[in-house]
Amino acid sequence: MNNTSADTTTAAGLLAGKVAFIAGAGRGIGAASARLFAREGARVLLAARTETELKAVTEEIRAAGGIADYVLCDLADPASVRAAVDRSVERYGRLDVAFNNGATGQPPGPMDQLSEADFDRVCAVDFKGPWLAMTAEIAAIRATAKRGAIVNTSSVGSLMANPWLPAYGAAKRAVNSLTASAATTYGPEGIRVNAIAPGTTLTDMLYEWDEKSPGTIDQLNSRTPLGRAADPDEIAQAAAWLLSDRASYVTGTVLRVDGGMCA
């Protein structure tokens, strides 16, 4: 049996020929996505605040034969976000797809115990940050590739009451609304915009929450039909598909990648 066509498709990679910008790429879901997107054929630009993390992931991708570079970026700083996205075009000549994954957590607890400073920080990074990034990314895609795709990281906690992470959940729900609005606005131009809503995922943010509130991971797993937390790569796989041409008719959706938690 001749499988040449199928083998060629697989070899080409899900994101072959695309330039991908990844915010929050130094660790967790973002780092896993950078590695995966590069394996799937994309030229990737990693962005985050911590240079040591970015450099390590970038060097790992290059050692595996991928094409990667990095830029420092603070999602709470508008000029920093615009400069980071523009660096994709400077470095690779275009921008095709973007994954806005960067986020910050909040101290877990009821909303009346959250400080105003923590509330403002969560809103600046988790809500305003994706808005700033999408605005810059749409401009870059328009100016170069003309058509493209954007994925924002939301959270399963945005789809339900989130009494222990109320500001975080609210900011992520706002991202869902921005995603839908952007999909409607830019769809006629061929720019797709979606979000993913991860469930319990083994990231530093989750481990920090579990450290402050012991038993959190076990409790979340008990509410998950698959009975476990996700590896960051499992979330990255969903983002890669949404950014790829195989999801060409998908826009304006919030894709739950939650092990069935919200089923």
Side-chain angles (χ1 to χ4, degrees):
M1 182 176 178
N2 188 342
N3 290 322
T4 303
S5 177
D7 291 345
T8 300
T9 301
T10 301
L14 199 61
L15 298 171
K18 297 189 185 298
V19 171
F21 173 80
I22 305 160
R27 57 184 183 170
I29 294 169
S33 297
R35 298 183 191 101
L36 175 63
F37 294 3
R39 290 199 305 270
E40 293 290 348
R43 291 170 286 169
V44 297
L45 185 73
L46 289 67
R49 291 185 301 169
T50 307
E51 186 167 16
T52 53
E53 294 177 346
L54 288 172
K55 186 176 181 181
V57 179
T58 298
E59 290 178 349
E60 183 182 341
I61 291 169
R62 289 173 175 171
I67 299 173
D69 207 342
Y70 70 86
V71 60
L72 291 175
C73 176
D74 181 352
L75 286 175
D77 180 348
S80 176
V81 174
R82 286 191 292 268
V85 173
D86 289 346
R87 178 62 182 150
S88 302
V89 177
E90 295 167 8
R91 179 69 176 82
Y92 299 122
R94 61 189 290 130
L95 181 64
D96 298 281
V97 300
F99 182 30
N100 297 318
N101 176 71
T104 188
Q106 65 156 96
M111 68 179 191
D112 63 303
Q113 295 179 20
L114 185 69
S115 72
E116 186 174 353
D118 282 329
F119 180 88
D120 289 344
R121 177 179 51 80
V122 168
C123 289
V125 175
D126 295 351
F127 175 34
K128 187 177 181 180
W131 170 70
L132 290 169
M134 279 196 288
T135 300
E137 290 152 5
I138 288 162
I141 291 170
R142 276 175 167 168
T144 58
K146 309 300 183 185
R147 304 172 67 86
I150 296 169
V151 169
N152 298 313
T153 297
S154 179
S155 169
V156 72
S158 74
L159 305 175
M160 61 179 80
N162 202 342
W164 288 100
L165 299 174
Y168 179 81
K172 291 297 190 177
R173 185 171 293 199
V175 169
N176 297 347
S177 181
L178 277 182
T179 297
S181 297
T184 301
T185 302
Y186 306 108
E189 300 178 43
I191 299 174
R192 298 183 299 105
V193 186
N194 293 290
I196 54 172
T200 312
T201 307
L202 298 174
T203 63
D204 289 350
M205 189 182 297
L206 178 67
Y207 288 127
E208 289 166 6
W209 184 14
D210 192 67
E211 185 176 333
K212 292 175 183 175
S213 304
T216 294
I217 294 176
D218 290 340
Q219 182 183 6
L220 292 170
N221 288 346
S222 72
R223 295 166 48 195
T224 303
L226 290 185
R228 63 175 179 84
D231 182 86
D233 185 71
E234 294 179 286
I235 310 302
Q237 294 285 348
W241 177 75
L242 283 172
L243 290 172
S244 79
D245 294 338
R246 295 185 202 178
S248 56
Y249 202 58
V250 182
T251 195
T253 194
V254 178
L255 176 63
R256 290 186 287 106
V257 193
D258 66 351
M261 182 181 280
C262 280

